[in-house]
Amino acid sequence: MLRVAAATVAPSAQAARRIRPRGRGASWHAPASAPRPSPTTSNTNVPATGSFRRPSHIPNRMGRDGGLWRYPCSRCVSTTADVEALLSSSSSSAGGNITSNGSNNRDNKSRSTRDTNNHRQHAQQHQTVKSKGERNQHRQKQRRRHKAKGAAKRSVQAGDALAAAAAAARALPDKAALLLPRATERMEAFLQSRALLPPPPSVWLRPVDGLNFHELDYDDSDDDEVLAQRIALHNDVVQLLLILRDSILGGHISPRGGRNGLVLSDLVGNVLLLLGESPPFHITAAATAGEGNAQIKRTMSPADAAAIGLDLLRRTNLDVRPDHYASAVRAACHDGRWKMASDLFSAQVNPDSAGLVPVDSTLGLDSTAELGLYAIARQSQDEQNQNGAGLSTADKVFDATLGMSIISPTDQDNYVLAAGLALGRAGEWEACVEFAKRSDNAERLGQPLVAAAMLACVECSQYDTALNVYAESTSNPSLGGSEWQWGGGFDIVHPVSRDLALRSMGRSSKGGLGAQAMDIFRNQIIEERAVISSDALLGLFMALERDGEWKTAFEILNTLLRKSGSRGSSISGEWTMVPQSIDVQARVHSSTSAFAEIGISDSMLSSIMNACNSCGEFGLALLCERMVAIQRGQTASAMAMDATNISHHTIASILLASSAGDALRSEHLVLSQMSSLCGLKCYDDAVALFDEISSQAAADRKDWRQATICAKFADTEAASLNSSMFVKSQAWKAAFRHMNRICVASRCLGEKGEDLSMEEALILADALGHCMSLCNDAGQPRAGLALAEHVFGSLHSSNENGRSLGSSIMSFLGIGEGSDEPKPNSVLGSDKFEGSDLLLSSTMRSYHLLDESADAIDLFFDTVDRISMAEKEYEHSDFVHSWNEAIALLFHESRSEEAMNLYDALEDYLKTPETFIVAAKGLLLQQNWKGISEVYTRALKEHCSSEDLALLAMKAVAEQELDGKIPTLRSIVDEVAKIEGHSSKYWIKTRYWTLKRELGWRFARLLMWWNNPNTASEEELLLAVEQLEAAKNDGIIPRNDDLRCIVRYAGSKMNRSGEDAFGSLQSSQLIELVLEAILEAQRTSLWTQPSFITSSATSLRALSANKECVQLVRDALSCGIRVSKRSLKEALSAAQDIGDSVAVEELSAAVEDLKI
């Protein structure tokens, strides 16, 4: 019944011809000579011009403006049941089709297929009518059929339009009033689904020809699930748009009366908004190319659907707002319809079209001005490719810019910058630079044109060209036009140009730009309290990284973190940091003076760490990582660590726990961390860090090649780590754990903003001194000093609200009033921390390791003087470590007299064993043997003797011209052995190799009672064998001295006369000893030393163990150990003697490679 009722209200073609449209925007009939479209054309296919295509079965009675069919054929109008069924199914499952394609999609698809087939059959019926007579007969049949439909049909035939509308309203039930509310409900569901999706990727605007879907950056493109959701949402939006269109054309919805016009305008506006975020064809085509993806294919392109929406607004006499144009332009750009996008954008400033509408001047990747100008540029490129003539792309884009500027002159600067961004995105940077260099253009547009040319170059990664444009603009006034003015002041450089210059300096192929970048930052940003983008700050860090200026980079980072974490950091009149270079333009014209929240990006942190790593400051690089991570609030794991489980946390676990879900943000940051760990010989932590992150990276389809190479290097080096480097790596691991806890503690104390008590300050100072001592043991003294500077800076900044960020940076740069203040490395600036002996001594040692011993001595005496002047109740015993360090530094500076004066100034009862050792070592540098003996005597008197001091005293005895040296040496041995609770014989035997190095072989063998020099070598070998067996029985690794002795002296069994040099050991026994020593050496770093391989090969060759000699050298080569030429020759001779041709060939090739 509903279908019949709907059919009764459809007027005939004859009645439609008699109705003349009334009112503005009514459709007039076109001449009969209008071209007839193809019979197979569907009414859902919309041309690029934005007008509806006339269905093939409707006579050509189109109006002048392209045809809103006020009275279409009854078979082409959706019935009330169809419309309401579609709205009901869509409203009941609002947004459901976005995540899955259920039964509603299948029903809608079948209904759409059925309607399409009906339209096709009906069109074929009309197409079969060929002649004019047949057409007239067909019209008469239609008229007779309509006459039988009732009073409503007769009123339409009479030509009364109002009567026809009334009849249609009576024919439709009250349910028609629910169409707009239900459509509004469904649109709200669409908007909620849109809010759950990420913003449209920038890859949608890339040229289709050069786009490879499988090589897209996954961070900048949708995955399959998100893309399927976008396509499903697009299909639902198109379906709703077609329902609205058919309902309006069928008379179910009237845009006039009540709030229908406003509701319909909002509905169409939201439809256009969603269409502007629909995926383009070249993305969906690539995603749905495979089998099984047919359910996510689009029903209509976004551009065609947007054209339907705009046409609906025009036909219903609703205003087309600027946001409608912006959404339609965006949809056309995403779909690659540059002609349509450029026409729509140009229509906004065309008085004959949409009128003079000011275009939104907001800058950004998805802004209206930039998208429209980009469409003009792409359309110009297409026309040039086809015709090869006409104005250049830059001329057309800037002509459109001038047209917009006439309507809104105050936005001209932003329009010019948008033109530069659009040309850069289109790859027309050369044309933009050429346009900017014309004197008339420069005079007309001024400095913003220079900034636009630089923007175009930066968009195309032409940083050297951007710097050339910047340099020419500063030296050639005609290029930049008049001076740039803002806020009542003048400057010859546009702020965006200055920002882009900093950005380009960090990425230029030229080096040595760090000083120039710092000059811009110092003189034009800090002093003028200007605006800088994070991109420009990154460029500054990259320029400093390339020039190795790690000190300046670290100071900038430290000051930024300190002020961003302090209270009261919103300072009026300070320089500000904004996200992007284009934000500098908006910031300049803003009256806001609040200090922006400072954020250090991963790229900035990676650049700073690389600068430190390149200069060997690996510990400082990891300290920067800790400072930034804690500033970001990534301290959950650090706060959970207490004193009972701190030793169980590795560096890799701390780094991973702090990064949490952000570990995969940047390969460069992970690579910087791994490089720092490798530089600190913490290869195991580097491998562990990579193994954990690589598993996540593989899940996210990321291939980190550089990090993989670094991990392989770390895995290889970990197997050959010697003992000394192992000790340093362990020291750094302990230092890093303490460093992490201290940074967290200082952060919490700084946030509280309360003054520390004397006791709390000493606890913190001692903890800091202990961490600095570990950093010194790890060979990273500067990391300890930087940690102290950061901690005390964090504590002081909470109470320094009056000192601005600019003043802090200008202080360390030596600018203005801050240049007279003490340098940041004066870590003991507060009297609360001067009572810590551990902090003072660690600081002095750090200066000493940095070859700044004079500064360390001055620090000691200044601290002592301040304490004395303040009459603090500190005793000399409270600073005994600092006292000892000062004595050692004075001896190192060849100020032995002052050192001994300081030594004598300390009372003997306050001296520690370390004090006497330090004095003795200092006298050893001066070869003052008598003074060493006196120090030893005073140490015995004060019961402060030690093994190290005893060895120094024995060396002094051996070096002096004395009688009875051996008895004197034995008396010293008796004293030290008594202290340690051993016999003199045991003490000499266990320290034999140390005595041999310190006193020489003669005194060592005499102390061992090896009086016969001819048999002393065999005795020494037997001692080495004995100690080797003892180590094996105790389950410990033998000492390298024992292993060296075995392989060195075993080969001397045969003397030059061919007789046994060692009568007590047979040749076979010596071979077994050498092989056993080699086997034990493979457990230590001794195996990687070429000298040990040479000694072992020579001994095996002398013992006629040719096969074992060849195997030894081949094993060393297979392990990647550098083998000496002598070892290769010994092994080659042995291989020739046993006739091993394979070994001869391999060893001969190794000898040739060594020659090369």
Side-chain angles (χ1 to χ4, degrees):
M1 293 294 296
L2 291 175
R3 241 177 234 285
V4 173
T8 59
V9 301
S12 65
Q14 182 178 2
R17 287 195 298 270
R18 291 197 300 268
I19 295 177
R20 298 184 62 83
R22 296 179 176 88
R24 178 182 177 185
S27 299
W28 293 86
H29 300 304
S33 60
R36 184 183 184 89
S38 173
T40 60
T41 303
S42 175
N43 64 331
T44 59
N45 295 328
V46 181
T49 57
S51 59
F52 291 133
R53 187 183 300 277
R54 175 175 52 82
S56 60
H57 60 279
I58 298 179
N60 187 12
R61 307 299 183 191
M62 187 178 297
R64 258 185 293 185
D65 49 358
L68 174 65
W69 294 99
R70 295 174 59 88
Y71 302 104
C73 177
S74 60
R75 299 189 185 185
C76 297
V77 179
S78 301
T79 64
T80 305
D82 293 334
V83 173
E84 188 164 318
L86 288 173
L87 287 176
S88 299
S89 63
S90 302
S91 177
S92 61
S93 59
N97 292 338
I98 296 175
T99 57
S100 63
N101 294 304
S103 59
N104 290 338
N105 280 347
R106 290 192 296 269
D107 295 341
N108 295 338
K109 182 177 181 181
S110 61
R111 184 183 296 107
S112 176
T113 304
R114 184 179 65 250
D115 294 342
T116 303
N117 293 334
N118 293 336
H119 288 312
R120 185 179 295 110
Q121 294 174 3
H122 195 53
Q124 290 175 358
Q125 294 176 8
H126 285 283
Q127 184 65 21
T128 55
V129 180
K130 299 297 182 180
S131 63
K132 182 176 181 180
E134 292 174 341
R135 288 197 297 271
N136 292 332
Q137 293 177 2
H138 181 74
R139 293 192 189 98
Q140 292 176 1
K141 292 180 180 179
Q142 290 284 5
R143 284 195 295 271
R144 286 193 298 268
R145 186 181 299 113
H146 289 313
K147 287 180 181 180
K149 298 298 182 180
K153 185 66 176 177
R154 289 191 296 273
S155 64
V156 172
Q157 292 174 344
D160 190 350
L162 294 177
R170 289 192 299 270
L172 290 174
D174 295 337
K175 296 180 181 180
L178 300 177
L179 292 176
L180 281 180
R182 290 181 180 178
T184 303
E185 291 177 3
R186 193 178 185 194
M187 178 55 65
E188 291 177 355
F190 291 163
L191 295 177
Q192 292 176 1
S193 302
R194 168 184 176 265
L196 300 177
L197 294 174
S202 60
V203 71
W204 288 0
L205 290 177
R206 294 186 184 180
V208 181
D209 299 336
L211 185 64
N212 188 344
F213 181 79
H214 300 287
E215 295 181 358
L216 295 179
D217 185 1
Y218 289 100
D219 292 337
D220 196 31
S221 60
D222 293 333
D223 55 19
D224 295 340
E225 181 180 357
V226 175
L227 186 59
Q229 294 176 7
R230 290 189 189 277
I231 296 176
L233 178 60
H234 167 79
N235 292 339
D236 290 342
V237 171
V238 171
Q239 183 186 32
L240 177 60
L241 176 64
L242 296 179
I243 290 173
L244 291 175
R245 182 198 65 179
D246 293 342
S247 300
I248 294 173
L249 299 183
H252 302 306
I253 298 176
S254 174
R256 297 179 177 86
R259 294 179 51 85
N260 287 358
L262 296 177
V263 174
L264 184 60
S265 178
D266 291 339
L267 273 175
V268 177
N270 288 328
V271 167
L272 292 174
L273 174 65
L274 295 175
L275 291 175
E277 298 180 357
S278 298
F281 174 76
H282 61 269
I283 296 294
T284 57
T288 59
E291 297 181 0
N293 293 330
Q295 69 275 12
I296 62 173
K297 291 185 177 180
R298 299 185 315 180
T299 57
M300 183 183 294
S301 70
D304 291 340
I308 294 177
L310 291 178
D311 198 70
L312 272 181
L313 293 173
R314 296 191 186 99
R315 302 310 179 193
T316 54
N317 289 331
L318 296 177
D319 292 335
V320 183
R321 301 192 302 265
D323 59 306
H324 296 159
Y325 277 110
S327 299
V329 169
R330 186 178 297 107
C333 288
H334 286 169
D335 226 18
R337 304 276 285 274
W338 311 118
K339 174 64 176 174
M340 175 183 176
S342 61
D343 290 345
L344 288 174
F345 181 75
S346 301
Q348 298 180 83
V349 293
N350 186 356
D352 296 332
S353 180
L356 302 178
V357 180
V359 179
D360 184 12
S361 63
T362 303
L363 297 176
L365 185 65
D366 201 30
S367 65
T368 303
E370 185 177 343
L371 275 178
L373 294 174
Y374 176 71
I376 294 176
R378 293 299 305 274
Q379 175 62 20
S380 176
Q381 290 178 338
D382 293 343
E383 292 176 354
Q384 290 181 358
N385 293 335
Q386 295 176 0
N387 304 328
L391 292 176
S392 66
T393 301
D395 289 330
K396 292 183 179 180
V397 170
F398 280 104
D399 285 346
T401 301
L402 291 175
M404 294 187 295
S405 301
I406 294 175
I407 302 175
S408 179
T410 57
D411 295 326
Q412 177 175 325
D413 292 350
N414 280 15
Y415 291 151
V416 173
L417 296 178
L421 288 169
L423 289 172
R425 187 185 298 183
E428 295 287 343
W429 60 273
E430 291 178 317
C432 187
V433 171
E434 182 181 355
F435 182 88
K437 289 184 177 181
R438 299 176 192 169
S439 59
D440 54 340
N441 296 331
E443 183 66 25
R444 180 174 48 179
L445 299 177
Q447 277 287 339
L449 182 59
V450 177
M454 295 182 66
L455 276 173
C457 295
V458 170
E459 282 290 321
C460 298
S461 301
Q462 300 295 326
Y463 302 109
D464 292 338
T465 305
L467 289 177
N468 293 335
V469 173
Y470 175 78
E472 189 173 353
S473 66
T474 56
S475 60
N476 185 7
S478 62
L479 178 60
S482 59
E483 292 179 331
W484 169 251
Q485 177 183 4
W486 79 97
F490 288 90
D491 194 276
I492 62 172
V493 179
H494 192 279
V496 176
S497 300
R498 177 179 58 205
D499 199 83
L500 292 172
L502 283 175
R503 182 177 175 182
S504 301
M505 287 177 183
R507 299 168 176 83
S508 173
S509 60
K510 304 175 183 177
L513 297 175
Q516 184 179 357
M518 277 303 304
D519 182 70
I520 296 176
F521 180 67
R522 178 189 298 115
N523 298 327
Q524 301 185 33
I525 302 297
I526 297 177
E527 285 191 343
E528 297 181 4
R529 296 176 174 84
V531 184
I532 185 174
S533 68
S534 59
D535 293 333
L537 192 58
L538 173 60
L540 173 62
F541 283 130
M542 294 175 67
L544 295 175
E545 171 194 351
R546 182 174 300 177
D547 293 351
E549 294 292 339
W550 60 269
K551 290 184 179 180
T552 306
F554 175 77
E555 289 293 346
I556 296 176
L557 171 66
N558 195 23
T559 308
L560 291 176
L561 292 177
R562 183 186 309 165
K563 298 303 293 186
S564 64
S566 63
R567 297 180 303 169
S569 59
S570 296
I571 303 171
S572 177
E574 270 299 317
W575 67 278
T576 310
M577 189 170 72
V578 293
Q580 299 178 356
S581 297
I582 56 176
D583 297 328
V584 174
Q585 171 74 3
R587 185 70 181 179
V588 165
H589 296 289
S590 173
S591 59
T592 304
S593 60
F595 188 83
E597 181 180 358
I598 298 176
I600 304 299
S601 65
D602 289 343
S603 299
M604 294 181 191
L605 178 58
S606 176
S607 180
I608 297 171
M609 293 182 67
N610 291 337
C612 297
N613 290 335
S614 63
C615 299
E617 298 296 338
F618 307 106
L620 187 62
L622 287 180
L623 174 61
C624 294
E625 189 278 336
R626 284 293 83 203
M627 291 162 54
V628 174
I630 293 173
Q631 187 71 24
R632 292 173 176 172
Q634 301 167 340
T635 58
S637 63
M639 294 298 293
M641 291 188 300
D642 53 20
T644 58
N645 62 0
I646 183 175
S647 60
H648 300 288
H649 291 270
T650 63
I651 299 179
S653 64
I654 295 175
L655 295 176
L656 288 171
S658 297
S659 59
D662 300 330
L664 296 177
R665 288 185 301 183
S666 172
E667 179 190 7
H668 298 291
L669 180 57
V670 175
L671 183 61
S672 300
Q673 295 174 354
M674 295 177 63
S675 301
S676 300
L677 292 173
C678 290
L680 295 165
K681 312 303 177 185
C682 300
Y683 299 114
D684 53 343
D685 285 291
V687 174
L689 178 65
F690 174 78
D691 290 341
E692 180 64 26
I693 292 183
S694 61
S695 59
Q696 304 176 29
D700 287 0
R701 299 179 291 180
K702 292 185 177 181
D703 185 15
W704 289 359
R705 299 181 181 179
Q706 293 181 337
T708 303
I709 296 174
C710 184
K712 292 181 179 179
F713 168 79
D715 194 22
T716 303
E717 292 296 322
S720 59
L721 187 64
N722 56 41
S723 58
S724 61
M725 292 294 102
F726 177 78
V727 171
K728 286 189 174 183
S729 66
Q730 294 302 311
W732 174 255
K733 291 179 180 180
F736 186 80
R737 291 192 291 266
H738 289 288
M739 181 183 297
N740 187 42
R741 291 170 58 84
I742 291 174
C743 288
V744 174
S746 64
R747 168 76 172 176
C748 296
L749 293 174
E751 289 178 349
K752 290 175 61 178
E754 299 178 358
D755 290 338
L756 299 179
S757 64
M758 184 67 70
E759 183 180 0
E760 292 173 338
L762 288 179
I763 293 175
L764 178 60
D766 287 340
L768 182 57
H770 179 61
C771 183
M772 293 178 65
S773 178
L774 291 173
C775 292
N776 293 334
D777 295 338
Q780 299 296 317
R782 205 177 300 276
L785 290 174
L787 174 63
E789 175 191 347
H790 172 69
V791 170
F792 292 117
S794 299
L795 296 178
H796 296 330
S797 62
S798 61
N799 298 321
E800 291 181 358
N801 296 339
R803 189 178 182 187
S804 65
L805 178 58
S807 301
S808 300
I809 296 183
M810 292 170 67
S811 173
F812 83 83
L813 292 177
I815 309 172
E817 299 177 357
S819 58
D820 296 333
E821 298 181 4
K823 295 297 181 182
N825 56 6
S826 180
V827 297
L828 300 178
S830 175
D831 56 355
K832 293 183 179 180
F833 306 103
E834 291 177 346
S836 175
D837 180 35
L838 185 56
L839 177 60
L840 178 59
S841 61
S842 299
T843 304
M844 295 171 62
R845 187 181 171 208
S846 298
Y847 286 152
H848 170 61
L849 295 176
L850 295 173
D851 294 330
E852 298 177 3
S853 300
D855 294 337
I857 296 172
D858 294 340
L859 176 63
F860 171 77
F861 285 113
D862 291 343
T863 304
V864 173
D865 291 342
R866 284 198 302 270
I867 293 175
S868 301
M869 293 176 62
E871 298 181 356
K872 295 291 183 66
E873 297 180 356
Y874 295 131
E875 299 290 341
H876 288 165
S877 58
D878 296 335
F879 292 91
V880 64
H881 294 92
S882 303
W883 208 279
N884 297 336
E885 194 69 37
I887 295 173
L889 292 176
L890 288 172
F891 274 118
H892 182 268
E893 291 293 307
S894 300
R895 298 160 62 178
S896 57
E897 184 176 354
E898 296 180 47
M900 290 306 298
N901 291 336
L902 188 61
Y903 167 79
D904 294 334
L906 188 64
E907 299 293 339
D908 289 344
Y909 71 91
L910 296 177
K911 295 174 182 175
T912 62
E914 184 183 1
T915 307
F916 293 102
I917 294 174
V918 168
K921 287 182 177 180
L923 294 173
L924 178 64
L925 296 175
Q926 306 296 327
Q927 295 186 354
N928 189 346
W929 313 117
K930 183 178 180 180
I932 295 176
S933 300
E934 294 176 355
V935 170
Y936 176 72
T937 302
R938 294 176 66 177
L940 287 177
K941 181 180 178 181
E942 299 297 334
H943 305 286
C944 291
S945 180
S946 62
E947 181 176 316
D948 292 340
L949 184 60
L951 290 174
L952 292 172
M954 294 174 69
K955 185 175 181 62
V957 171
E959 294 292 338
Q960 295 183 68
E961 296 294 335
L962 299 174
D963 296 333
K965 291 184 179 182
I966 295 299
T968 304
L969 293 174
R970 292 190 183 278
S971 64
I972 297 175
V973 170
D974 293 340
E975 291 290 343
V976 69
K978 185 188 302 183
I979 295 174
E980 297 183 2
H982 299 298
S983 64
S984 301
K985 181 179 180 181
Y986 177 84
W987 191 90
I988 295 174
K989 186 177 182 179
T990 55
R991 274 87 173 164
Y992 170 76
W993 303 109
T994 303
L995 293 173
K996 183 178 180 181
R997 282 192 298 269
E998 297 294 334
L999 306 180
W1001 185 64
R1002 176 174 175 270
F1003 289 104
R1005 70 176 179 83
L1006 291 177
L1007 289 174
M1008 287 291 297
W1009 300 99
W1010 297 340
N1011 297 326
N1012 187 356
N1014 296 327
T1015 60
S1017 297
E1018 182 177 2
E1019 295 290 346
E1020 190 176 60
L1021 177 61
L1022 294 175
L1023 176 64
V1025 174
E1026 178 184 354
Q1027 293 181 351
L1028 174 61
E1029 293 297 329
K1032 290 175 57 181
N1033 295 333
D1034 294 339
I1036 61 177
I1037 298 176
R1039 288 179 292 189
N1040 292 343
D1041 293 320
D1042 297 327
L1043 302 179
R1044 287 194 187 96
C1045 177
I1046 293 174
V1047 299
R1048 182 183 299 116
Y1049 291 117
S1052 61
K1053 172 186 178 296
M1054 304 299 295
N1055 57 20
R1056 295 182 180 180
S1057 302
E1059 300 176 355
D1060 289 348
F1062 300 146
S1064 60
L1065 295 175
Q1066 300 298 324
S1067 177
S1068 59
Q1069 294 176 322
L1070 292 174
I1071 294 174
E1072 292 179 0
L1073 284 175
V1074 173
L1075 295 178
E1076 185 176 3
I1078 294 173
L1079 184 62
E1080 292 293 334
Q1082 292 178 356
R1083 300 169 56 190
T1084 67
S1085 61
L1086 186 62
W1087 169 247
T1088 62
Q1089 298 180 9
S1091 59
F1092 179 78
I1093 303 296
T1094 302
S1095 299
S1096 302
T1098 303
S1099 298
L1100 292 174
R1101 178 65 174 158
L1103 294 170
S1104 300
N1106 295 326
K1107 183 177 180 181
E1108 290 79 2
C1109 179
V1110 173
Q1111 187 64 35
L1112 168 69
V1113 177
R1114 295 181 69 182
D1115 290 344
L1117 291 174
S1118 63
C1119 294
I1121 300 174
R1122 184 170 54 88
V1123 180
S1124 64
K1125 185 176 181 180
R1126 180 180 177 184
S1127 302
L1128 292 174
K1129 288 185 176 180
E1130 294 285 356
L1132 182 60
S1133 300
Q1136 292 174 350
D1137 291 345
I1138 62 177
D1140 191 346
S1141 60
V1142 177
V1144 170
E1145 183 178 356
E1146 180 182 347
L1147 295 171
S1148 299
V1151 173
E1152 293 298 327
D1153 293 340
L1154 189 62
K1155 291 180 180 179
I1156 296 175

